[in-house]
Amino acid sequence: MAVVNRTPDSFFDRGATFGFDAALAAADRAVAEGADIIDIGGVKAGPGDEVGVAEELRRVVDLVAAVRRAHPEVIISVDTWRAEVGEAVAEAGADLLNDTWGGPDPRLAEVAASHGIGLVCAHAGRQDPRTRPHRAGYGDVVGDVLEHVVAEAERAVALGVRRDAVLIDPAHDFGKNTRHSLEITRRLDELTGTGWPVLVAVSNKDFIGETLGQPVERRGVGTTAVLGVSAWLGARVFRVHDVAGARRALAAVAALQGTP
């Protein structure tokens, strides 16, 4: 899953793909490098300038349609928590709604069901979108993640989303500190053991930077290590900035496991 953000303030690329042409070119490159899924986002995950529904729609809908025309075979995901945006991008050709904030708008699952598309059910510690807790606390962070994402996944299926189109995501760093994100990675097999396909979105995140003492532009090696561990423990989808590098790392893990 390749990240393509139409945001001027992305933590990683600092707005390099904010422009429409730049974003479309980034999607083209990702497909050429082996991406199976293009994940399009129109709102920065962290705190920042307010982005209303109309502006989010302006940023993502036309890009979804353009990627659909250019790459009919690729899976298009849209990173949004808003049902209005989900409705519009589904009509434009999106295949998957990536709800990284853990279901703040319960109508999003209904949109996925009504359009026959997929849904990512994530855990953000019940935080409001684009907020960071002052002190995140859990008795057992993995237990909390499991309870939430499995309940969201089952709810989605009950609403009519195809079971084989639902993924779960522990959402590293969302409503969590570095210790929590490391614990989730160590115990990822508890999530994969549920039978739901697990998505991991760890690319260049703060828990990697804090663990290694590295700024965002020097977290690639740490990202690769976490991707390898996650793949070994059974994760199925990997949201990344470096598609070609991730492909090589995942191929190495597959070879070690003796899988095709």
Side-chain angles (χ1 to χ4, degrees):
M1 176 186 274
V3 180
V4 177
N5 284 326
R6 281 212 69 195
T7 56
D9 49 1
S10 170
F11 87 97
F12 181 70
D13 65 28
R14 312 299 185 191
T17 57
F18 180 48
F20 181 87
D21 290 342
L24 185 56
D28 293 341
R29 286 193 302 273
V31 172
E33 291 175 356
D36 302 297
I37 306 169
I38 302 297
D39 189 51
I40 296 168
V43 183
K44 176 184 176 182
D49 292 342
E50 173 67 21
V51 180
V53 173
E55 176 60 15
E56 186 179 359
L57 289 168
R58 187 191 70 80
R59 293 178 182 183
V60 298
V61 175
D62 288 349
L63 182 60
V64 168
V67 174
R68 179 82 293 149
R69 288 191 298 270
H71 304 286
E73 76 290 349
V74 80
I75 297 169
I76 300 176
S77 168
V78 175
D79 182 350
T80 188
W81 73 89
R82 291 166 165 155
E84 299 94 329
V85 176
E87 186 77 37
V89 297
E91 293 175 356
D95 305 290
L96 180 67
L97 301 177
N98 183 11
D99 184 6
T100 54
W101 285 103
D105 187 342
R107 298 173 299 159
L108 194 66
E110 298 171 11
V111 171
S114 67
H115 286 274
I117 63 176
L119 182 69
V120 178
C121 299
H123 173 280
R126 299 161 190 84
Q127 298 294 316
D128 291 333
R130 307 192 69 199
T131 61
R132 290 177 177 159
H134 174 58
R135 289 184 177 177
Y138 304 93
D140 175 8
V141 65
V142 176
D144 202 272
V145 169
L146 281 166
E147 180 182 8
H148 181 79
V149 297
V150 170
E152 288 291 297
E154 294 289 359
R155 174 180 177 270
V157 171
L159 287 169
V161 181
R162 296 194 329 269
R163 182 170 286 270
D164 65 354
V166 175
L167 297 92
I168 60 173
D169 174 11
H172 293 71
D173 281 4
F174 278 65
K176 305 170 187 73
N177 60 30
T178 291
R179 181 175 59 82
H180 296 139
S181 293
L182 292 172
E183 181 74 5
I184 287 166
T185 306
R186 295 186 194 103
R187 296 170 57 190
L188 198 69
D189 58 338
E190 295 179 41
L191 275 81
T192 61
T194 64
W196 296 102
V198 174
L199 179 154
V200 289
V202 299
S203 188
N204 298 300
K205 280 195 169 176
D206 286 348
F207 82 97
I208 293 173
E210 186 172 325
T211 298
L212 301 179
Q214 295 294 335
V216 66
E217 67 273 11
R218 299 187 64 184
R219 298 174 186 174
V221 172
T223 294
T224 301
V226 177
L227 290 175
V229 170
S230 300
W232 190 269
L233 294 176
R236 296 282 300 279
V237 179
F238 308 85
R239 184 179 184 272
V240 298
H241 298 95
D242 177 8
V243 172
R247 271 291 186 190
R248 291 192 294 270
L250 296 172
V253 174
L256 287 166
Q257 292 179 318
T259 57

